[in-house]
Amino acid sequence: MTALAPRADLPLLADLPPLDARFNIAHHWLQANAQRHTKTAFIDDQASLSYGGLDRRVRQLASGLKALGIRREERVLLLMHDVCDWPVCFLAAIYAGLVPVAVNTLMTADDYAYMLEHSRAQAAMVSGALLPNLTAAMTRSDHEIRKVIVSRPEAPLHPSEVDLERFIDDNEVATRPAGTSPDDPAFWLYSSGSTGRPKGTVHSQANPYWTAELYGKRVLGMKESDVCFSAAKLFFAYGLGNGLSFPLSVGATTVLMAERPTPEATFRRMRGESGGIKPTIFFGAPTGYAGMLANAALPSREEVAIRLASSAGEALPADIGERFKAHFGVDIVDGIGSTEMLHIFLSNTPEKVRYGSTGWPVPGYEVELRGEQGGAVPDGEPGDLYIHGPSAAMMYWGNRSKSRETFQGAWTKSGDKYIRNSDGSYTYAGRSDDMLKVSGIYVSPFEVEATLIQHPAVLEAAVIGKEDADGLTKTKAFIVLKPGCQVGEDELKAMVKERLAPYKYPRFIEFVADLPKTATGKIQRFKLRAMEQARNASGS
């Protein structure tokens, strides 16, 4: 099996020393940066935090959390925008032996009520702007928490709430981390919900160490002098590596952005308008890259300092990568990761990019493609993607059936369909539950979508199956056009017929203003399918 060649100056997984029996990832990162006391670790629109300040605040907050009476491995909800307080709260909980549950900032009060009850969180750390949502969630939940700790409050606080700054200042610096092991639970991330209800994914103390060592250092070649900026938020597995695990592992600096990653907001950070520092590594997702390239305010190559761009979250269409490279002179390094594997395990590299593919297995990980009966599939045919690697999650909390389905011994089932190419690279074929059979042949929605967006008028596309008048499954495309652009259905159909096998072209096309997505930019095709089913049921 062909894999990426690791950097020659770094050891292979087998050559890395085993982790100590006593290992706490927060303590590990603080110790690794102990000599960078004055260097900036994190910077946002309102504040910056040095590595020395990070160390002090993390250990003071850890003392405060323990003083609340929260016990080892009990959960603490983390509902916070990407500001300097986020890494402090995340690391402090882990340092104290507690388990932070990082949650999406764009969900509803009902979602947070579910997560409070599901995680049985004993405290919550929340941004002031998000406090009303959390308060509403608490009123809808039977679960009670001990304390709400508020970052940058925007209104007077209730007696059960406390200002994070005051809470930190009122506590002494903890002198010892919790005596955790590499296999102890460290934090939860909820799955993005691209296929339904989010699942609480439990990660160990060692997992972020491995993603940083194997991908951040060995594939991306991240170094101390880098300035990282991730449009993907910290609550997302991809964003957590980009903006926290990777930079902390080498002593780099991270630019954090509280607001939503619109093209305009992203451009301001790329130009160095936040904190006066220009990122050298940008982490985005295909949807975001498409929006950036379509925006008239796209910065010139001379305005930015980007030496490396990364993409994940969903497969990157070749056209987007090629246009980005033509504009900025920098390739987008596309890869696939998952909440369950914590970060990327299959990837292109800065030195080796094959647009249209997701690249090769990351050193330290193995991948297999399996057919419906569990056997290997030959090159060129789609199969279910399975991964074997050291950063796999421990389980889905309180969901034994889904845990068994996904975590199968040493292997993790990704839920994605892939095709292995003759050069050992892998090409995305769609989510396993999104694949279509048209005329008895599998069709990848992603392949059709990637072709549709090659039209200059098309911004985004999503493809699902729709039954025709004879009850046969045909492809249907939902199209979002670029502002001010128009194109006819027949023109789009003809273009797909020219570039793909004729049976793959979309028999139905519907133009829409936007597509349903998760907060991380993944298209929720299951919502489009549900909409079609509802229309069919109503006869419309």
Side-chain angles (χ1 to χ4, degrees):
M1 180 178 295
T2 304
L4 293 176
R7 288 182 56 198
D9 59 329
L10 294 169
L12 293 169
L13 175 62
D15 299 325
L16 289 168
L19 297 176
D20 292 339
R22 185 184 175 109
F23 181 81
N24 181 287
I25 188 62
H27 177 67
H28 170 78
W29 282 327
L30 294 180
Q31 288 297 105
N33 293 291
Q35 303 307 311
R36 300 184 177 98
H37 193 81
T38 60
K39 184 181 180 185
T40 299
F42 298 96
I43 185 166
D44 64 33
D45 288 343
Q46 298 182 35
S48 64
L49 185 63
S50 68
Y51 273 102
L54 176 69
D55 181 279
R56 176 184 57 79
R57 288 170 65 81
V58 164
R59 293 194 288 135
Q60 282 183 276
L61 180 54
S63 288
L65 292 171
K66 290 177 69 175
L68 292 175
I70 308 173
R71 296 171 295 182
R72 276 277 297 272
E73 297 184 13
E74 289 186 324
R75 273 72 63 193
V76 178
L77 194 78
L78 177 53
L79 172 59
M80 196 172 288
H81 288 138
D82 280 21
V83 297
C84 292
D85 287 339
W86 202 107
V88 171
C89 292
F90 183 78
L91 296 173
I94 294 175
Y95 191 94
L98 312 180
V99 178
V101 180
V103 299
N104 187 331
T105 58
L106 300 176
M107 289 189 164
T108 67
D110 285 339
D111 292 321
Y112 298 136
Y114 164 75
M115 291 172 178
L116 284 170
E117 293 181 356
H118 182 247
S119 67
R120 303 173 196 138
Q122 296 299 300
M125 298 183 284
V126 59
S127 289
L130 299 170
L131 181 57
N133 264 358
L134 178 64
T135 302
M138 291 167 61
T139 63
R140 301 176 193 187
S141 170
D142 293 331
H143 178 72
E144 296 184 4
I145 61 178
R146 297 169 187 262
K147 183 68 72 175
V148 175
I149 303 167
V150 185
S151 165
R152 303 179 182 178
E154 297 185 345
L157 298 179
H158 186 272
S160 63
E161 302 160 352
V162 62
D163 186 321
L164 174 65
E165 284 295 322
R166 197 189 86 192
F167 190 70
I168 290 175
D169 291 342
D170 286 347
N171 286 279
E172 298 295 323
V173 172
T175 56
R176 293 182 61 190
T180 52
S181 78
D183 291 335
D184 282 342
F187 59 94
W188 292 16
L189 299 173
Y190 275 93
S191 63
S192 62
S194 60
T195 57
R197 190 76 165 181
K199 299 176 288 293
T201 311
V202 183
H203 279 286
S204 72
Q205 296 279 344
N207 284 2
Y209 169 84
W210 293 119
T211 61
E213 290 295 319
L214 298 175
Y215 192 73
K217 292 181 181 179
R218 285 158 178 73
V219 173
L220 296 184
M222 191 175 290
K223 50 195 176 183
E224 182 180 3
S225 58
D226 276 317
V227 177
C228 303
F229 170 48
S230 176
K233 300 299 185 180
L234 291 167
F235 63 75
F236 177 36
Y238 177 51
L240 183 66
N242 306 339
L244 191 143
S245 305
F246 295 176
L248 288 181
S249 74
V250 297
T253 296
T254 299
V255 174
L256 295 173
M257 179 171 69
E259 63 186 301
R260 296 189 69 170
T262 63
E264 293 80 7
T266 300
F267 297 158
R268 287 196 294 273
R269 275 74 184 182
M270 292 176 72
R271 292 190 183 100
E273 296 173 19
S274 176
I277 185 169
K278 292 185 178 182
T280 60
I281 304 181
F282 174 68
F283 300 88
T287 300
Y289 282 114
M292 290 165 59
L293 291 169
N295 193 288
L298 182 69
S300 68
R301 186 182 303 193
E302 293 71 29
E303 290 181 277
V304 303
I306 300 295
R307 71 169 186 86
L308 176 65
S310 167
S311 179
E314 56 185 345
L316 178 76
D319 178 66
I320 292 176
E322 290 162 355
R323 286 192 287 129
F324 187 91
K325 173 69 176 290
H327 184 85
F328 287 108
V330 174
D331 278 307
I332 299 176
V333 177
D334 185 36
I336 181 177
S338 67
T339 306
E340 292 76 11
M341 293 303 297
L342 190 57
H343 213 273
I344 290 171
F345 50 79
L346 189 62
S347 182
N348 290 270
T349 74
E351 300 78 23
K352 188 177 182 181
V353 171
R354 175 179 170 173
Y355 284 127
S357 88
T358 311
W360 295 262
V362 170
Y365 294 86
E366 298 176 62
V367 301
E368 287 185 359
L369 298 184
R370 302 178 187 175
E372 293 180 1
Q373 305 305 315
V377 299
D379 287 2
E381 293 188 13
D384 291 309
L385 180 67
Y386 287 75
I387 313 102
H388 177 206
S391 61
M394 304 169 74
M395 62 177 151
Y396 297 128
W397 183 264
N399 197 332
R400 192 176 184 189
S401 63
K402 280 292 184 182
S403 293
R404 284 179 165 178
E405 180 183 326
T406 300
F407 306 108
Q408 301 181 12
W411 293 86
T412 300
K413 183 178 181 181
S414 74
D416 297 292
K417 290 275 190 184
Y418 264 83
I419 296 169
R420 188 178 187 272
N421 305 307
S422 58
D423 64 353
S425 65
Y426 289 77
T427 298
Y428 183 66
R431 291 289 298 176
S432 297
D433 50 3
D434 287 334
M435 290 292 286
L436 308 174
K437 250 190 178 178
V438 178
S439 302
I441 308 171
Y442 273 116
V443 174
S444 162
F446 175 75
E447 183 183 24
V448 182
E449 293 162 3
T451 303
L452 286 165
I453 67 167
Q454 292 174 23
H455 193 285
V458 176
L459 177 62
E460 294 178 322
V463 170
I464 64 169
K466 174 182 171 65
E467 289 188 355
D468 64 12
D470 297 318
L472 300 174
T473 297
K474 305 298 181 185
T475 50
K476 173 172 181 176
F478 293 84
I479 303 290
V480 179
L481 296 175
K482 295 177 182 176
C485 292
Q486 295 294 324
V487 63
E489 291 186 26
D490 291 343
E491 183 178 343
L492 290 176
K493 290 177 180 179
M495 185 189 75
V496 176
K497 284 181 182 179
E498 289 174 2
R499 303 184 186 190
L500 298 179
Y503 67 87
K504 296 181 180 180
Y505 86 91
R507 283 6 182 238
F508 310 98
I509 289 180
E510 180 176 340
F511 294 99
V512 295
D514 52 40
L515 297 172
K517 299 188 189 78
T518 68
T520 55
K522 294 180 184 178
I523 296 172
Q524 294 175 308
R525 294 179 187 83
F526 75 95
K527 289 189 175 181
L528 296 173
R529 290 195 293 268
M531 181 180 71
E532 280 297 315
Q533 290 169 0
R535 287 174 175 175
N536 291 339
S538 66
S540 60

